[in-house]
Amino acid sequence: MLSQCEPELGSWRVRLSEWLRSRAMALAIFCLSLVLTAFVWHQADRHIEQRNQDRFGYRIEEVKYSIEERMLEYEQVLRDGVAFWNASNHVSRDEWRDYVRMTEIREYFPGIQAIGLSLVVPKEEREEVTNSVREEGFPEYRIYPEGDRESYTAIIYIEPFDQRNQLAFGYDMYSESVRREAMDLAARTGKPAISGKITLVQETEEDFQFGVLCYLPLYERGADVSSEQSRKAALKGWVYAAFRMNDLMRGILGDVTDDIAYRIYDAGNDSELELLYESCETAGRPPRGKSVGFFQSHVMPMSGRDWEIDVTAKEGFFPVADDTIRPMVAISGLVIDVLLFLVVSSIGRQRSAAIKFAKQMTRDLHDSESRTRSILENATDAILSVDGDGRVSVANDAANWMFSPLSASGGNTDLAGVRFGDLIEDMSFAGVIDAGVRSRKIASDSEDGIAVRCRRDDGTLFPCRMSIGVVEGGDGYIVVARDETARFAFEKELAETNRQLVKASHKAGMAEVATGVLHDVGNSINGVSTSSNLIAAMLDDSAVPTLSRAIGVMNEHREDLPGFFEHHRQGKHLPEFLTQIESTLRSERERLIEENRHLGSHVGHINQIIRVQQDQACSSIIATREFASELMEQAALVNLGRHAEFDITLERDLDSTATIVTDRNKVLQILINFVANAQDAVREVDDRPRRVQLTTRVSGNQVEFSVIDNGPGIAPDVLPKLMQFGFTTKSDGHGFGLHSCDLTAKELQGELRIKNNESGHGACFTLALPLELDSECDLKSATVLQRNLDQVDDRGDQSFPSTPCIVSRED
């Protein structure tokens, strides 16, 4: 039956091959590809158009945002001026000049021609105000324009007081309708108000520009301005800014915008538009050949008035590449169509070449199979191929000798067909495969594969380590096994040798514990000494002798105390003096209580150090949940006052929320040592402020405590030796502080890191500890004492359990 089908199948393939090589098929594919090219060209054109529309809209929003944000900044300048005026009983002309000069409006607020102060001057005070200004050194000052009005709004101060701004000095802006409208609006609302289009008094024929004014009202200090009537009654004048529109817009958006042109109109309160600014002569007209979508108008509310901005895309807005993409798409499509036609036409010619290539690949495959088999047979580890049903399909010689030594010695060396599960003790085939595949996915494993017990054909059991992988395609598994009998014997011998070494070094470790006690107690005694000196200094500066003298004065006038208090100069001030003495004594008492608490804390810490070091001799850890920031603060407190004569600043950058389960006292021993060493290091600094920075932060599953100083740093040849026992760079050092800290950090499952700062000044000492102690790796049993952190409302009033929990470790 199969022999009859084969000729028919071969004939069908021949016909199909001839049809593919025919010209009709190639032409059909060519026509189809032309249609596809036309569709791609149309989609590319639509995409370019939409992308330009989106970019044009974004560009308009960018221009509007720049103008609105900059005008808000200029309003803030006026608010600062009002605040400056209200903050003083009288602002002199020199003070106003200094204020404007410090504002540096020419550099930071381009477009502001002047910042001035215009005060309301009643008709009867006009001459007085004029004479007052003239007496300040301006003999030609006058309020203009002339005319009989109920009140005037003369410009009293105007800065910068250059030649152009001097033209506006004394001008009554309320006399002109456009300015008056903005001034009334600002006075009624109490908010900034911008005027319509005007010609500034400062304008000359040189570089003529239109302008606008922005007013912010100035009221009587302390007056009620909650209503329009109260604001009108309390009005004193206006702080205002004069803007030249060309300078203003150039300061905000630049002199030239390459891709867009725009016009800004003052819409006012009616439909009439007045041109304020024009970026170039083409503004308002869409580019030739482009759609009207690239010309848009937007209204911007601007301090009580509306500005309309008309934006047009210029020729430079459209990338040159847009004009080339369309023909490039068409040309590329045509080239691809022609190439596809040629490829289809050449399929027939390539058939023979493909057959030749397939034969060559077959030969290469046979060669590769031969090399692979040679590698398998010469491998020292057992290598087996197991099918999906759990039976061994292929096994190398090493596998036969490992699992079937009796059969191999008798000449039968083939494990093929044996159930793989029969070679494993107490595990099913599925269990071994699952465990082996999962072990390959765990990158942190220090061992290769899984450990199992295997069975030989003589019935003996032996330890074995297996690595199992899935065959590509998922139809079987490759197992690599190694006999672990010899390794286990070596490890047993090594463990016995290590036990003897630990026993021999135990006495040396006890001496190192005593050394650590002396060092840590010494650091805490520094804190005790500091607290004692502070208490003595407080007693020396006590106000008690002063109180005794006051009582002596009262005793001298005991016979007539009421008269003494009423008529005598000292008696009149004595009650107030006694009140101050009482306040001083209360403050001294609180400081003495606080310092006495610190002293008790230092003494308690010494007791904890001794007890902890005693427990350490038994390899114990007292684990509690602690705030990382509190541990660092406690270390700083112990070293408070150390080298006080050198004016050392302690800076803090502490994460107040980070908590850690660890041994509080062991961590404090390390941190106290870090802070003390940093303070010692910065003593040598004399060309910059002496600073020590304390930081805590969570990094991954660790908390990092860092102490950073700006001292001279650590020499490169000294840095690797710092944690060696007995090594020190201090003339009075003993060389076991950092060594003890390193041992303690490792005991707490952490590490010490020491490096020089990148700035070239000082060094950074870091203690990295895990957030939780790893009870599975290092602890036989661990019960961590938890603080009830959820009930802590105030970091200054935390409750801690009085009895710690002992975490025992293996000796």
Side-chain angles (χ1 to χ4, degrees):
M1 183 69 178
L2 182 61
S3 60
Q4 293 177 357
C5 291
E6 285 180 351
E8 295 179 2
L9 183 61
S11 176
W12 179 83
R13 287 177 176 174
V14 170
R15 289 196 301 271
L16 178 62
S17 177
E18 291 176 353
W19 183 75
L20 288 174
R21 291 197 299 268
S22 67
R23 188 176 300 275
M25 182 62 180
L27 290 174
I29 293 178
F30 180 72
C31 293
L32 181 62
S33 62
L34 286 176
V35 174
L36 181 61
T37 298
F39 175 76
V40 170
W41 178 87
H42 177 70
Q43 290 298 108
D45 183 73
R46 289 185 57 189
H47 171 73
I48 292 171
E49 181 73 13
Q50 185 61 45
R51 183 187 63 184
N52 287 334
Q53 289 284 358
D54 294 343
R55 191 160 61 88
F56 183 64
Y58 171 81
R59 192 72 175 90
I60 292 174
E61 291 301 320
E62 183 180 24
V63 170
K64 289 173 55 182
Y65 177 83
S66 298
I67 295 174
E68 292 170 352
E69 284 298 304
R70 183 62 66 86
M71 294 306 295
L72 286 177
E73 293 176 5
Y74 289 175
E75 289 181 8
Q76 189 59 42
V77 173
L78 298 184
R79 297 182 190 276
D80 293 343
V82 171
F84 175 64
W85 184 269
N86 289 332
S88 176
N89 292 328
H90 174 71
V91 176
S92 67
R93 187 176 304 277
D94 291 338
E95 291 173 339
W96 185 262
R97 180 185 303 111
D98 292 340
Y99 160 73
V100 176
R101 185 175 67 253
M102 294 300 294
T103 305
E104 296 185 20
I105 59 175
R106 291 290 189 262
E107 180 174 355
Y108 297 107
F109 303 97
I112 296 182
Q113 174 60 31
I115 298 178
L117 176 68
S118 176
L119 296 180
V120 176
V121 180
K123 180 171 61 175
E124 59 271 19
E125 297 178 8
R126 175 182 180 183
E127 185 174 352
E128 179 184 351
V129 171
T130 301
N131 293 333
S132 176
V133 175
R134 289 176 177 178
E135 290 175 358
E136 291 182 35
F138 305 95
E140 297 181 2
Y141 177 82
R142 64 186 181 90
I143 298 177
Y144 71 99
E146 298 293 340
D148 186 14
R149 297 183 287 276
E150 288 295 323
S151 62
Y152 303 85
T153 57
I155 297 177
I156 305 299
Y157 296 164
I158 184 168
E159 295 292 337
F161 200 68
D162 54 22
Q163 184 176 1
R164 185 184 290 269
N165 286 334
Q166 290 177 22
L167 298 175
F169 191 34
Y171 179 63
D172 180 4
M173 293 183 288
Y174 202 75
S175 63
E176 194 271 322
S177 60
V178 177
R179 294 176 173 85
R180 181 169 57 252
E181 179 183 1
M183 295 168 77
D184 287 340
L185 177 61
R188 287 197 309 271
T189 62
K191 298 179 180 179
I194 201 165
S195 73
K197 175 182 176 181
I198 62 170
T199 299
L200 296 176
V201 181
Q202 294 96 316
E203 282 299 331
T204 62
E205 295 180 358
E206 181 181 354
D207 188 24
F208 177 82
Q209 301 179 25
F210 291 113
V212 293
L213 297 168
C214 187
Y215 297 92
L216 188 64
L218 184 66
Y219 300 108
E220 289 287 345
R221 184 165 42 193
D224 177 22
V225 291
S226 58
S227 65
E228 183 175 331
Q229 288 298 115
S230 60
R231 286 192 289 269
K232 181 177 180 181
L235 181 66
K236 288 185 62 179
W238 295 264
V239 174
Y240 78 96
F243 300 95
R244 305 180 76 212
M245 287 303 298
N246 292 3
D247 294 343
L248 177 64
M249 290 300 111
R250 283 196 292 264
I252 296 176
L253 302 174
D255 291 332
V256 178
T257 304
D258 293 335
D259 55 349
I260 62 173
Y262 57 95
R263 285 176 176 166
I264 296 178
Y265 297 91
D266 174 29
N269 298 320
D270 49 35
S271 59
E272 184 178 357
L273 299 179
E274 291 190 282
L275 180 64
L276 290 175
Y277 176 75
E278 183 177 25
S279 65
C280 64
E281 61 180 8
T282 60
R285 296 194 297 273
R288 186 175 55 197
K290 304 297 181 183
S291 67
V292 294
F294 295 98
F295 170 80
Q296 296 185 23
S297 296
H298 295 266
V299 175
M300 298 185 298
M302 198 65 60
S303 301
R305 296 188 73 85
D306 288 338
W307 283 6
E308 180 177 306
I309 179 170
D310 294 349
V311 185
T312 305
K314 297 167 63 175
E315 291 293 344
F317 176 83
F318 302 94
V320 177
D322 289 354
D323 296 331
T324 60
I325 288 178
R326 298 177 180 87
M328 286 181 62
V329 169
I331 294 173
S332 300
L334 291 175
V335 171
I336 293 174
D337 297 342
V338 173
L339 291 177
L340 183 61
F341 174 79
L342 296 176
V343 168
V344 173
S345 300
S346 64
I347 287 178
R349 294 192 300 270
Q350 295 178 358
R351 180 173 179 274
S352 59
I355 295 175
K356 181 179 179 181
F357 180 69
K359 292 180 179 179
Q360 180 63 38
M361 289 184 63
T362 302
R363 289 193 296 270
D364 293 342
L365 181 61
H366 288 316
D367 294 341
S368 176
E369 183 180 356
S370 299
R371 289 193 295 269
T372 302
R373 181 169 295 278
S374 175
I375 292 172
L376 292 176
E377 295 302 330
N378 289 281
T380 58
D381 290 340
I383 302 176
L384 303 94
S385 176
V386 183
D387 59 25
D389 295 330
R391 294 187 178 276
V392 178
S393 57
V394 178
N396 66 348
D397 289 343
N400 290 315
W401 281 100
M402 181 183 297
F403 292 101
S404 302
L406 293 178
S407 300
S409 60
N412 182 12
T413 60
D414 193 0
L415 284 175
V418 175
R419 297 188 63 84
F420 182 70
D422 296 339
L423 304 178
I424 310 299
E425 178 72 10
D426 297 331
M427 290 187 72
S428 64
F429 164 69
V432 172
I433 296 300
D434 182 62
V437 173
R438 280 190 290 107
S439 71
R440 293 177 61 86
K441 298 179 180 179
I442 303 177
S444 60
D445 279 355
S446 58
E447 298 284 356
D448 296 330
I450 60 173
V452 297
R453 291 177 61 81
C454 296
R455 182 186 296 109
R456 307 187 200 274
D457 63 352
D458 59 2
T460 60
L461 300 176
F462 64 96
C464 182
R465 182 162 295 278
M466 289 186 177
S467 177
I468 303 175
V470 180
V471 175
E472 186 176 357
D475 56 351
Y477 307 91
I478 297 296
V479 180
V480 179
R482 181 183 300 116
D483 190 342
E484 298 278 271
T485 304
R487 187 173 74 87
F488 280 9
F490 173 75
E491 288 182 351
K492 183 177 181 181
E493 181 180 355
L494 181 62
E496 177 63 22
T497 303
N498 184 64
R499 188 184 67 81
Q500 295 293 333
L501 178 61
V502 170
K503 184 176 180 181
S505 63
H506 182 67
K507 293 183 179 180
M510 295 299 292
E512 203 164 298
V513 169
T515 300
V517 171
L518 292 175
H519 179 268
D520 296 330
V521 168
N523 282 337
S524 295
I525 287 178
N526 287 336
V528 172
S529 176
T530 300
S531 295
S532 176
N533 291 335
L534 288 175
I535 290 174
M538 292 178 191
L539 293 175
D540 290 340
D541 296 337
S542 175
V544 172
T546 306
L547 179 61
S548 298
R549 289 195 298 271
I551 293 173
V553 172
M554 291 175 63
N555 287 333
E556 291 176 2
H557 299 83
R558 180 181 300 178
E559 300 300 330
D560 186 22
L561 284 178
F564 174 69
F565 286 134
E566 183 176 358
H567 302 293
H568 198 276
R569 182 175 58 85
Q570 290 183 339
K572 292 179 180 179
H573 298 286
L574 189 57
E576 180 182 356
F577 176 72
L578 291 176
T579 301
Q580 295 177 353
I581 290 294
E582 185 273 337
S583 176
T584 302
L585 289 175
R586 187 187 309 114
S587 176
E588 288 180 356
R589 179 177 179 274
E590 292 174 355
R591 291 169 58 198
L592 286 171
I593 290 173
E594 177 66 16
E595 199 56 45
N596 185 62
R597 186 180 67 79
H598 290 170
L599 182 60
S601 176
H602 297 330
V603 174
H605 183 61
I606 293 174
N607 291 332
Q608 287 286 348
I609 290 173
I610 296 174
R611 189 175 68 210
V612 168
Q613 293 292 352
Q614 289 172 344
D615 292 339
Q616 188 179 13
C618 301
S619 298
S620 298
I621 292 179
I622 303 174
T624 58
R625 183 170 293 279
E626 304 287 341
F627 282 102
S629 59
E630 181 189 315
L631 294 174
M632 185 64 85
E633 286 285 6
Q634 185 65 30
L637 182 61
V638 170
N639 289 281
L640 183 65
R642 186 183 182 93
H643 307 313
E645 68 275 12
F646 289 97
D647 190 21
I648 300 173
T649 301
L650 287 182
E651 299 177 350
R652 294 166 174 82
D653 182 11
L654 308 179
D655 184 348
S656 60
T657 62
T659 61
I660 181 174
V661 176
T662 189
D663 190 310
R664 173 186 178 87
N665 291 288
K666 291 181 183 291
V667 175
L668 280 177
Q669 293 170 22
I670 300 174
L671 297 182
I672 290 171
N673 201 321
F674 279 8
V675 177
N677 286 344
Q679 291 177 321
D680 291 344
V682 298
R683 286 185 306 172
E684 305 177 20
V685 174
D686 55 8
D687 60 342
R688 55 186 178 275
R690 302 177 179 89
R691 294 196 303 271
V692 175
Q693 184 179 15
L694 312 178
T695 68
T696 62
R697 70 185 186 94
V698 177
S699 177
N701 60 350
Q702 289 185 326
V703 173
E704 295 182 352
F705 303 82
S706 296
V707 178
I708 307 168
D709 64 78
N710 67 338
I714 304 170
D717 58 330
V718 171
L719 195 59
K721 306 175 184 177
L722 280 181
M723 288 185 286
Q724 295 179 3
F725 182 78
F727 180 82
T728 180
T729 59
K730 302 177 182 178
S731 59
D732 56 348
H734 38 63
F736 52 73
L738 287 177
H739 175 70
S740 175
C741 291
D742 183 44
L743 295 180
T744 304
K746 291 177 180 176
E747 182 182 4
L748 296 176
Q749 303 170 10
E751 63 173 337
L752 296 188
R753 306 170 190 156
I754 305 175
K755 64 177 183 178
N756 284 316
N757 296 326
E758 295 181 356
S759 63
H761 297 302
C764 175
F765 288 70
T766 299
L767 168 63
L769 295 176
L771 294 173
E772 303 279 350
L773 290 173
D774 189 353
S775 58
E776 295 182 358
C777 294
D778 296 320
L779 306 179
K780 296 181 65 175
S781 64
T783 305
V784 178
L785 189 61
Q786 300 288 338
R787 295 185 182 186
N788 191 359
L789 299 180
D790 295 336
Q791 298 178 0
V792 177
D793 294 330
D794 188 353
R795 289 297 307 276
D797 186 20
Q798 298 167 354
S799 300
F800 298 95
S802 58
T803 306
C805 175
I806 302 299
V807 181
S808 300
R809 299 187 59 171
E810 262 189 289
D811 290 341

